[in-house]
Amino acid sequence: MAKQEPEYLLKVTIKVLLRADQAYVTDFLLGEFPTVRAAEKLRDILSRYNPDKLFLAKYEQVTNPNFKIIPNELNK
């Protein structure tokens, strides 16, 4: 049985602030992920290696361009 692509992806944008005074540093697009967990792993790594900064994630649900409905083979 073929593996089905997820119908939706999460487009993740990260906002970077300085931890001391919450001053804005930058925004960047982290990418599109199938689950929140996958994106949070990267955000966790960024936070761990940059303890002086805050990384705030913004999630947007987008339709996956690779999503295809797999026909039910039992109904042939």
Side-chain angles (χ1 to χ4, degrees):
M1 187 157 133
K3 183 178 178 187
Q4 186 173 1
E5 291 282 332
E7 185 175 357
Y8 296 101
L9 294 173
L10 295 170
K11 181 178 170 184
V12 183
T13 305
I14 298 289
K15 184 175 192 175
V16 183
L17 305 173
L18 292 177
R19 189 176 295 273
D21 58 0
Q22 295 186 358
Y24 172 81
V25 177
T26 191
D27 286 330
F28 61 91
L29 177 64
L30 194 56
E32 293 178 349
F33 297 88
T35 63
V36 172
R37 183 175 181 187
E40 281 297 310
K41 283 182 181 179
L42 286 175
R43 194 180 72 81
D44 179 54
I45 291 169
L46 287 170
S47 297
R48 193 173 303 152
Y49 289 102
N50 297 283
D52 60 327
K53 295 183 178 63
L54 293 172
F55 296 89
L56 305 177
K58 177 178 136 186
Y59 296 95
E60 295 176 62
Q61 190 175 33
V62 294
T63 303
N64 185 351
N66 298 328
F67 177 73
K68 293 182 179 79
I69 297 174
I70 297 175
N72 187 348
E73 295 178 10
L74 297 176
N75 293 335
K76 287 187 178 181

